[in-house]
Amino acid sequence: MGTVESQLATASQVTDGFHLVIDALKLNGIDTIFGLPGIPITDFTRMAQAAGLRVISFRHEQNAGNAAAIAGFLTQKPGICLTVSAPGFLNGLTALANATTNCFPMILISGSSEREIVDLQQGDYEEMDQLAIAKPLSKAAFRVLHAEDIGVGVARAIRAALSGRPGGVYLDLPAKLFAQTMDAEAGKKSLIKVVDPAPKQIPGADAVKRALDLLKGAKKPLIVLGKGAAYAQADAEIKSLIEKTGIPYLPMSMAKGLLPDTHEQSAAAARSYVLPEADVVMLVGARLNWLLSHGKGKTWGGKGHKDRGGQKFIQIDISPQEADSNVRIDAPVVGDIGSCVSALLAGIGSNWVKPPADWLGAIAERKNKNVAKMAETLAKDPRPMNFHSALNVVRDIVKANPDAILVNEGANALDFTRSIVDMYKPRKRLDVGTWGVMGIGMGFSVAAAVVSGLPVIAIEGDSAFGFSGMEVETLCRYNLPVCVVVFNNNGVYRGTDVNPTGGPDVAPTVFVKGARYDKLIEAFGGVGVHATTPAELRKAMEEAIRSRKPTLINAVIDETAGTESGRITSLNPTSGKKK
Ligand SMILES: Cc1ncc(C[n+]2csc(CCOP(=O)(O)OP(=O)(O)O)c2C)c(N)n1
Ligand SMILES: [Mg+2]
């Protein structure tokens, strides 16, 4: 009998910290752990696997953490990331902070060193006060010191991650805890199966009426759907609200596909027209952060960058503190998206008057013009490929495979993909989120494939890919149906910068020219393809989707095609010093 099995056998009378954590997770429906083994959690990963949990091992904890976070977003169950102490914990922490910022439910579980040594700062192996460090970067942070408290610790972590506005939770498990034993029966009784971890929050009737009154009086109404609306899994209600009211809508990046991007009410192709023109804007699970220009400034028709346009805002959000974060919210509706949208639908009734025809007509006119202009650009076939001609292929592939999940990061590789590739179903587009963070690519891809079983297409800038590129081994190890397409333009934003000194170092944004990223995946038995034309790219993507084999396509993109920072060039500070 191997060690793991003999340990499981004795667990019938006595249990220990290892098994109680595993049992507590299983009891709460957790079936997958994303992590990276080492002291003190190596045996934990083995025992978890032996106990029937799926343990997905990564090459770097940040990628495991990103995987956990997006698994949480996709499933409404907290994604679990497991790491070793200090350095492993810190590697996972970026993902935890990113999860909190993006409202993804995840739990970072890290082993930690001996409390009494850490607290006296006596220099233990991987010594660090992890709980204190995690606190400001997470929604909640807990530590469990005694085996009999594991049930409570795991329950609190789950509740904190899922309830209200979801977020990242840290759970600190000191090495000593794992080996602590207790009577198995008492241990079992100490565990908690969390009842209703994300309770519905019903909005007040007065708040719903205030919102509807505002909407009814609108001449130029607009609905903005955010990532929160996608997370809520209230897809039918949201579709019904949009269609019954007839109000044009704008999907934020990860809300694309809640309704098909080809929907006639989508105003995405007329964004710069509808934001300043709208008179009443209803935000559904979307925050007025930088991605919406803070609800003011020129984007919204304001004169200066701090001036407001004339809009009134309705905001549906689960957090009562969100309203007024940037501008006055005239009608806050606080509750879970599903309950709020249902309440609005009930209030709308059957004789709702659709928005004025001149508003809809003006939007349609701009939209048609922009769509026609885009079609013209997409039809071009330049050599070398540019972002447009390559994305024209991706657009067709996604259209033909609407269930595939699209992961996307980069600058130009991100912005062009978001605007060119239509999504048809909810929660199929996963990207850099609120921070515009690079490095989510392979972690998101692994998790998306693992939790959905569906094909994944990752459109990656060559710089973006580098942040998590080693995980192509993970794709191959678990034989995941992921097709990575590296948009290789030889660098960050473009490959054309030169060192102004004429010295031997290349410019800071430039990589090895003509790099063959496809060779990377071949080292691990995956399929590598070098594609220099749209036809080659199409053939390789079709084959990847058909075969479900881990594939990396090195798509060669014109190195002059990109712009600095993609669409957010203006956020770069410019030197005040005259040249
Ligand atoms: C963690 C992190 N580090 C750095 C950045 C800054 N940054 C934004 S986009 C980008 C890479 C853009 O290059 P690439 O992925 O090749 O996309 P391209 O524009 O060339 O298509 C970088 C480094 C970031 N967003 N996140
Ligand atoms: Mg690039």
Side-chain angles (χ1 to χ4, degrees):
M1 214 185 250
T3 35
V4 171
E5 283 162 70
S6 57
Q7 276 159 349
L8 283 174
T10 48
S12 51
Q13 304 92 35
V14 174
T15 189
D16 61 13
F18 286 112
H19 292 93
L20 284 166
V21 176
I22 292 164
D23 292 347
L25 293 173
K26 283 182 75 174
L27 183 66
N28 284 288
I30 305 288
D31 52 18
T32 307
I33 291 176
F34 305 94
L36 202 161
I39 295 172
I41 49 103
T42 313
D43 262 355
F44 183 92
T45 60
R46 295 190 183 112
M47 290 178 204
Q49 190 171 55
L53 285 165
R54 187 134 197 231
V55 182
I56 306 291
S57 268
F58 283 77
R59 307 299 295 256
H60 189 289
E61 290 89 348
Q62 189 178 119
N63 307 319
N66 284 326
I70 211 65
F73 172 77
L74 289 170
T75 63
Q76 294 185 329
K77 282 196 282 186
I80 308 292
C81 173
L82 181 70
T83 80
V84 303
S85 20
F89 157 78
L90 286 173
N91 285 345
L93 198 58
T94 306
L96 185 74
N98 190 54
T100 305
T101 300
N102 283 281
C103 317
F104 298 150
M106 103 173 237
I107 303 174
L108 174 67
I109 302 180
S110 295
S112 60
S113 305
E114 298 311 332
R115 283 260 37 95
E116 56 272 36
I117 305 181
V118 173
D119 287 350
L120 280 170
Q121 298 167 38
Q122 294 173 306
D124 200 4
Y125 169 69
E126 297 192 348
E127 175 180 298
M128 177 172 280
D129 187 359
Q130 296 165 201
L131 186 71
I133 291 164
K135 257 182 196 160
L137 300 172
S138 55
K139 189 179 167 197
F142 305 101
R143 174 158 53 225
V144 181
L145 293 177
H146 301 291
E148 60 265 34
D149 294 329
I150 285 171
V152 170
V154 169
R156 297 212 74 189
I158 291 171
R159 245 183 223 292
L162 288 179
S163 62
R165 172 176 283 178
V169 175
Y170 176 59
L171 187 62
D172 191 85
L173 303 182
K176 266 190 187 162
L177 176 77
F178 291 107
Q180 274 180 34
T181 54
M182 68 183 285
D183 173 68
E185 198 49 38
K188 200 172 168 192
K189 282 191 189 139
S190 73
L191 301 184
I192 295 174
K193 183 169 166 48
V194 178
V195 177
D196 195 12
K200 276 199 178 130
Q201 294 182 29
I202 314 290
D206 53 340
V208 173
K209 182 173 181 307
R210 191 184 297 120
L212 284 174
D213 286 348
L214 202 53
L215 215 51
K216 268 181 208 156
K219 299 272 178 297
K220 298 175 170 183
L222 175 72
I223 293 175
V224 178
L225 300 175
K227 183 168 53 197
Y231 174 77
Q233 298 194 16
D235 309 334
E237 291 89 339
I238 288 168
K239 182 167 183 281
S240 183
L241 180 74
I242 301 273
E243 291 182 344
K244 282 199 175 140
T245 58
I247 297 174
Y249 74 95
L250 213 54
M252 298 302 287
S253 195
M254 281 176 61
K256 274 166 70 77
L258 263 176
L259 291 88
D261 280 335
T262 47
H263 197 284
E264 65 159 348
Q265 283 172 255
S266 169
R271 188 182 195 270
S272 61
Y273 173 71
V274 291
L275 289 183
E277 283 291 322
D279 62 351
V280 175
V281 178
M282 181 156 80
L283 305 159
V284 184
R287 294 171 288 183
L288 279 179
N289 56 23
W290 73 278
L291 288 158
L292 280 170
S293 307
H294 305 282
K296 57 194 162 195
K298 296 220 167 94
T299 308
W300 292 90
K303 283 203 184 71
H305 82 284
K306 288 232 163 196
D307 295 328
R308 292 195 52 176
Q311 302 82 1
K312 293 214 149 93
F313 284 102
I314 301 165
Q315 183 158 35
I316 301 181
D317 202 283
I318 192 135
S319 167
Q321 296 175 44
E322 184 58 38
D324 304 331
S325 60
N326 285 274
V327 296
R328 180 182 65 242
I329 299 300
D330 304 276
V333 183
V334 176
D336 65 281
I337 306 272
S339 298
C340 291
V341 172
S342 297
L344 287 168
L345 273 171
I348 276 165
S350 52
N351 51 355
W352 181 267
V353 182
K354 302 246 157 134
D358 53 351
W359 173 232
L360 302 182
I363 296 171
E365 194 187 313
R366 264 112 191 144
K367 194 174 142 177
N368 293 340
K369 211 157 76 194
N370 290 339
V371 169
K373 213 157 67 187
M374 178 63 87
E376 225 172 82
T377 315
L378 291 179
K380 289 185 185 143
D381 190 12
R383 290 292 179 278
M385 276 193 290
N386 63 11
F387 289 98
H388 291 87
S389 62
L391 284 166
N392 190 37
V393 172
V394 178
R395 187 178 206 252
D396 290 347
I397 301 279
V398 170
K399 187 175 185 185
N401 300 278
D403 283 314
I405 295 176
L406 184 77
V407 172
N408 190 200
E409 61 179 336
N412 294 281
L414 174 89
D415 292 336
F416 284 123
T417 305
R418 186 177 52 237
S419 60
I420 292 170
V421 178
D422 290 329
M423 305 308 298
Y424 299 87
K425 296 195 173 180
R427 293 171 297 283
K428 297 297 185 189
R429 187 186 152 83
L430 311 174
D431 67 26
V432 300
T434 311
W435 270 348
V437 68
M438 298 300 112
I440 49 88
M442 297 304 101
F444 278 16
S445 296
V446 168
V450 164
V451 304
S452 74
L454 295 165
V456 174
I457 298 166
I459 303 298
E460 300 274 311
D462 51 337
S463 165
F465 172 70
F467 287 73
S468 65
M470 191 63 207
E471 304 294 347
V472 293
E473 188 274 332
T474 311
L475 300 181
C476 294
R477 188 166 12 110
Y478 295 105
N479 195 24
L480 297 172
V482 176
C483 173
V484 182
V485 185
V486 176
F487 273 35
N488 188 356
N489 63 350
N490 295 339
V492 177
Y493 312 136
R494 47 203 287 145
T496 50
D497 275 12
V498 288
N499 179 344
T501 71
D505 290 350
V506 295
T509 54
V510 170
F511 295 152
V512 166
K513 302 234 179 203
R516 292 288 300 271
Y517 290 95
D518 50 311
K519 303 267 183 202
L520 273 176
I521 201 165
E522 289 177 354
F524 308 108
V527 178
V529 183
H530 182 61
T532 59
T533 64
E536 287 169 3
L537 178 60
R538 189 180 301 270
K539 183 162 169 279
M541 288 189 78
E542 280 171 353
E543 180 56 20
I545 300 259
R546 196 199 56 73
S547 72
R548 293 177 61 93
K549 284 189 189 146
T551 300
L552 194 156
I553 304 166
N554 182 55
V556 180
I557 302 290
D558 181 357
E559 66 171 6
T560 69
T563 58
E564 180 97 357
S565 305
R567 291 267 166 87
I568 52 176
T569 310
S570 62
L571 296 183
N572 283 301
T574 45
S575 170
K577 196 175 146 190
K578 294 256 170 352
K579 287 213 179 106

